[in-house]
Amino acid sequence: MQPLIITAALVGAEVTKEQNPNLPITPEEIAQSAYECYQKGASIIHLHVRDKEGKPTQSVEIFKETIDLIKKKCDPIIQISTGGAVGTPVEERIAPLALRPEMATLTTGTVNFGNDVFMNTPQDLVAFARAMKEYGVKPEIEVFEGGMINNALTLVKRGLLDLPLHFDFVLGVPGALTAGIEELLFLKNMLPQGSTWTVAGIGRHELPLANYAILLGGHVRVGFEDNIYYEKGVLAKSNAQLVERIVTLAKILSRPVATVEEARQILNLRR
Ligand code: KMH
Ligand code: ZN
């Protein structure tokens, strides 16, 4: 099995300091959290940023400032979110791709998202895929529902995305696909040969899905974007604490954890 790639999703767009006071918000806090996660074994940093009021933003300036601060401390794979927050205009979501991060997310379809709708029209998908090709950014296909895999493969047929693709199954979002092992196997079995995949379980689903992924040869994403608890009723102290637990699990289950360079090789990232 490939060494395990751990992604740390540090911030997200929805979680607040009120929900978990340990949530990093400022560029400095986010960079420190990224460094701690990297030290524990995370090789990808999935990045959202916030403005001065703590609100989600796709500001290229704030992304740049945050990435520069991270890179002063360490060199993980930076994966910018193009999902942003529900309702962020597509042009704003696309803008940070100009920073040419190694990776960025691409959600290949529209999905109910709690009481909102996370819109990704067919035209939006083309715009994101074209921009990623233009800037040489490797997409991570965010899959909230099964049809999103078909949509990604349609983009491959149209020459807008290249195989092999890397997918992230985001399971357990209220309004979207549930987070059981049957759902995970269904999605995994839909992927073309040579694909890589990771799993992001929302809330209490984070830990069981991580276990399945470690055993099935997938990869794992954890962090406050997906889950703010360490265990039932106990808030996590840091993103690094959640990463550290995955490293421990991988050790127990005899799966080596990827270094950043190994992760780059697995994901065919050219530097
Ligand atoms: N905040 C969600 C609406 C991504 O990062 O690409 C979208 C999201 C996915 O977080
Ligand atoms: Zn995200």
Side-chain angles (χ1 to χ4, degrees), residues 1 4-6 40-41 199 204-216 218-222 227 230 240-258:
M1 262 186 216
L4 179 74
I5 299 172
I6 301 175
K40 293 292 180 197
V199 73
R204 66 193 160 83
H205 303 296
E206 185 169 84
L207 201 51
L209 282 178
N211 275 282
Y212 306 150
I214 293 169
L215 292 168
L216 289 168
H219 303 280
V220 173
R221 174 173 122 172
V222 291
N227 166 44
Y230 192 73
Q241 189 190 25
L242 296 169
V243 170
E244 188 172 32
R245 177 163 58 182
I246 300 304
V247 173
T248 305
L249 268 177
K251 196 164 188 192
I252 292 167
L253 297 172
S254 301
R255 182 100 185 261
V257 172

Side-chain angles (χ1 to χ4, degrees), residues 21-98:
N22 303 315
L23 179 76
I25 291 279
T26 65
E28 289 78 12
E29 287 172 348
I30 294 172
Q32 179 60 27
S33 182
Y35 179 54
E36 290 167 11
C37 289
Y38 164 88
Q39 280 186 311
K40 293 292 180 197
S43 40
I44 302 180
I45 299 298
H46 171 72
L47 200 60
H48 291 250
V49 291
R50 303 289 178 96
D51 65 16
K52 289 212 158 43
E53 285 158 13
K55 297 208 185 77
T57 174
Q58 290 293 104
S59 157
V60 178
E61 237 172 50
I62 300 179
F63 265 115
K64 182 172 184 328
E65 184 185 352
T66 308
I67 293 168
D68 287 348
L69 286 171
I70 295 172
K71 296 228 155 139
K72 270 190 197 152
K73 293 173 186 282
C74 55
D75 185 30
I77 297 163
I78 301 291
Q79 181 191 84
I80 280 183
S81 169
T82 67
V86 166
T88 310
V90 169
E91 314 77 67
E92 287 178 32
R93 288 167 56 187
I94 284 183
L97 291 175

